[in-house]
Amino acid sequence: MTEQVAVIGEALVDVVEGGETHPGGSPMNIAVGLARLGHPTTLHARIGADAHGDLVRAHLDEAGVALGPDTLVPGSTSTAIARVDADGKASYEFDIDWDIPVPDVSGARLVHTGSIGALREPGATAVRAALSAAAPGTLLTLDPNIRPDVIGARDEVLRRVADLAGLCQVVKLSDEDAAWLAPEATLEQVLSDLAAHGARFVVVTRGAEGCLALVDGAWFARPARPVVVADTIGAGDAFMSGLLHALLHDGTDRLLAAGEPLGDDAVLAALEAALTSAALTVARAGANPPTSAELDEALRASRE
């Protein structure tokens, strides 16, 4: 079967203080989220031959995510030590090895990348080459998910984000990402700058305040779903997988990739799916995105 979605980026293990371990990494979480939502997905990553790698592979197998041909490598799997504060907010300390060959994404309808995988060398150059080689009509998407300690010099990261925004039709970032990219700018200014580089659908998540999007020059703001937060691990990733699911589900991805206009209803439906996916994830521990049945049920309930 031709793959529908290709995701390029890090797969790692979150080691939570206290000893718990969970598969993680923003691109891997998004791959799992999309697979759970019913999209055939291949992850192009770097997974080592160790116990952490076994944990990651089992997690991907359970979700139905296929692995790119160069993903399994000798050596160790990358890790992130996760610390969760009293409000459920996570911070991370990384041990990352990101050196990959250029993935072949020629059969994909959608190619997603982001986070450390899109920004840390030497693998970032391979990621950029894969996006550049994608077939015309392929939707390209980015979530920078900034990790300042492991992605290199600030000026180079800013240049790379701008370059990728020029390649990708969809860019999603958090308000924390926006503050790092442009500390003195408003969210509106950050989104406008990314759109000026070429991205058509740019959206920033604002935690409990919902999201703000700029799509082909039009602004959209949506509130967050009411939810009791267990923790925020994987919240932004679940937002992104929910967003991409909605774009794929109704064919909006084809319009975005082809440069054709989008209707407001399609944009709002994508944002609602993204916010609902995130709300379902923060209500339970760890990066645990919803299945298609869970998301559909929650969306139906919100309309009643």
Side-chain angles (χ1 to χ4, degrees):
M1 177 188 297
T2 300
E3 64 178 330
Q4 186 175 33
V5 177
V7 177
I8 315 172
E10 72 273 11
L12 49 80
V13 169
D14 292 328
V15 182
V16 182
E17 282 189 317
E20 292 185 25
T21 58
H22 306 281
S26 174
M28 191 209 69
N29 290 340
I30 291 169
V32 168
L34 285 164
R36 287 187 178 182
L37 292 170
H39 303 282
T41 302
T42 298
L43 176 66
H44 300 269
R46 189 184 188 284
I47 301 172
D50 57 3
H52 286 156
D54 293 342
L55 181 65
V56 170
R57 289 197 304 274
H59 182 62
L60 292 168
D61 286 345
E62 182 180 8
V65 177
L67 297 181
D70 297 309
T71 293
L72 301 180
V73 299
S76 60
T77 301
S78 298
T79 60
I81 298 175
R83 297 178 175 89
V84 181
D85 65 19
D87 296 323
K89 186 174 180 60
S91 60
Y92 300 91
E93 178 182 337
F94 294 93
D95 180 8
I96 299 289
D97 187 350
W98 184 241
D99 185 2
I100 62 167
V102 177
D104 178 6
V105 297
S106 55
R109 173 173 169 178
L110 183 155
V111 180
H112 173 78
T113 191
S115 196
I116 299 164
L119 301 174
R120 179 185 173 99
E121 291 291 15
T125 294
V127 172
R128 208 282 185 191
L131 295 182
S132 297
T138 305
L139 185 69
L140 305 179
T141 70
L142 170 71
D143 178 358
N145 194 35
I146 301 292
R147 303 299 188 190
D149 294 340
V150 291
I151 54 176
R154 177 183 177 82
D155 287 348
E156 176 61 22
V157 172
L158 293 175
R159 185 202 64 76
R160 195 174 297 277
V161 170
D163 177 55
L164 291 173
L167 286 176
C168 295
Q169 297 94 349
V170 179
V171 179
K172 170 263 170 191
L173 69 164
S174 69
D175 49 5
E176 291 181 347
D177 296 334
W180 188 89
L181 291 170
E184 304 301 322
T186 66
L187 293 180
E188 289 84 357
Q189 289 169 333
V190 174
L191 295 187
S192 295
D193 184 58
L194 290 169
H197 289 297
R200 294 188 59 194
F201 193 129
V202 188
V203 57
V204 60
T205 57
R206 302 187 294 170
E209 296 182 24
C211 67
L212 176 68
L214 176 59
V215 183
D216 290 341
W219 291 97
F220 300 83
R222 303 301 298 167
R225 297 286 187 206
V227 64
V228 177
V229 176
D231 65 50
T232 63
I233 297 174
D237 304 329
F239 181 99
M240 190 63 171
S241 58
L243 179 74
L244 298 181
H245 163 70
L247 297 177
L248 288 164
H249 185 262
D250 66 6
T252 304
D253 66 305
R254 305 287 197 192
L255 300 178
L256 281 166
E260 298 180 16
L262 309 183
D264 287 358
D265 288 347
V267 174
L268 292 171
L271 296 177
E272 288 302 317
L275 289 163
T276 303
S277 178
L280 290 168
T281 301
V282 302
R284 48 204 190 192
N288 187 8
T291 64
S292 57
E294 290 172 326
L295 181 60
D296 288 347
E297 180 180 357
L299 287 170
R300 282 195 300 269
S302 71
R303 299 184 188 110
E304 294 176 353

